[in-house]
Amino acid sequence: PYSAALAEAIRQPGHGIFDTFNDVGKEVKRATGGTQRPWFSSSPIEGTFCFGGCSAAAAGAAPTPK
């Protein structure tokens, strides 16, 4: 369930990294009837990262990573 949810989520353009992994966790929980809930750590990340490319709004929301 995790791999399938991740493969789908990273194809979403303009979707930031935290939103992506949050959606993956929700999908895994839904797909497994709540028996699996992926662990999530929210360490600080500078800049903007989007798997499928960032939208103009997301790109302007944070400074570019160095």
Side-chain angles (χ1 to χ4, degrees):
Y2 183 84
S3 296
L6 180 60
E8 179 63 28
I10 63 176
R11 291 186 182 107
Q12 303 304 314
H15 214 115
I17 193 165
F18 290 110
D19 291 332
T20 297
F21 284 106
N22 189 55
D23 287 352
V24 168
K26 291 187 299 186
E27 177 57 24
V28 169
K29 186 177 176 184
R30 186 203 61 76
T32 64
T35 60
Q36 294 182 23
R37 288 183 277 167
W39 179 77
F40 179 78
S41 174
S42 58
S43 297
I45 296 175
E46 289 189 33
T48 302
F49 176 85
C50 303
F51 284 102
C54 295
S55 66
T64 304
K66 295 178 181 168

